[in-house]
Amino acid sequence: MATRTTTTTSSAQGKKGAAIVGHGRSITDGPGPEVMDAATLIGDRVMNAQDENLGKIEAIMLDVESGRIAYAVLSFGGFLGMGTKLFALPWSALTLDTDEKQFILDFPKDKLENAPGFDKNHWPSMADPRWAKDLHAYYDIAPYWEEEIATSRDPRSSAGSGRMGV
């Protein structure tokens, strides 16, 4: 079995969200892949570095107060929706592969099988800080709320300056 290797661009290093790899990063006539409709990502496959299918994206969870993507919900296992286990994945644990139109989670399949999961009728309280810290620790990912958001705002036009167009 071949091992998948990916090269990220310098803008993806030190990332605050999901990295993006692939030739699909070139300038296009559409909004993606840096800005995309979340609905276009639902159903995308998730593979690991060993090229094993880990499941598919079922939902993308937003932290409404911060305006950031908190988690992707992965469905794994089961047959015809029966016995399917769901997993919340920290968004920054994923890499979007634009060439293959899939996500890569650099995580062993056997460790994912033992990850804290849930079923479609018993979702965890994703706003619970203890749950969130434990989840990020399991995936060895820094919690997104502890990362600083880089801005490219021009300080000359910051809110409250009282001057417009300067």
Side-chain angles (χ1 to χ4, degrees):
M1 189 176 292
T3 300
R4 178 182 306 275
T5 59
T6 58
T7 304
T8 58
T9 63
S10 60
S11 63
Q13 296 171 4
K15 64 188 173 93
K16 304 298 183 215
I20 303 171
V21 297
H23 297 358
R25 288 208 68 177
S26 61
I27 303 298
T28 64
D29 288 337
E34 287 83 5
V35 176
M36 297 181 74
D37 180 343
T40 64
L41 303 174
I42 304 300
D44 280 5
R45 281 184 313 188
V46 178
M47 306 293 285
N48 66 9
Q50 293 73 38
D51 208 26
E52 297 173 303
N53 188 349
L54 300 178
K56 66 179 184 169
I57 301 294
E58 287 290 324
I60 296 174
M61 309 304 292
L62 303 176
D63 179 328
V64 176
E65 288 186 3
S66 73
R68 297 175 77 181
I69 298 175
Y71 308 103
V73 177
L74 172 75
S75 65
F76 176 75
F79 180 72
L80 299 175
M82 303 292 291
T84 300
K85 191 171 179 183
L86 301 175
F87 301 91
L89 303 174
W91 184 247
S92 60
L94 295 168
T95 298
L96 176 62
D97 181 341
T98 60
D99 291 339
E100 299 295 324
K101 296 185 177 21
Q102 66 187 14
F103 284 95
I104 300 166
L105 174 65
D106 191 13
F107 208 72
K109 189 173 189 173
D110 60 336
K111 191 167 180 183
L112 179 65
E113 290 170 341
N114 296 313
F118 53 98
D119 68 54
K120 64 181 180 176
N121 296 319
H122 300 95
W123 284 56
S125 175
M126 293 183 174
D128 174 14
R130 179 80 244 152
W131 175 87
K133 283 186 182 262
D134 290 348
L135 180 80
H136 282 81
Y138 187 83
Y139 289 100
D140 196 25
I141 298 289
Y144 69 92
W145 60 89
E146 292 178 358
E147 297 171 347
E148 290 193 33
I149 299 175
T151 63
S152 59
R153 183 185 313 168
D154 183 343
R156 296 173 296 172
S157 61
S158 63
S161 69
R163 300 183 323 178
M164 294 180 58
V166 176

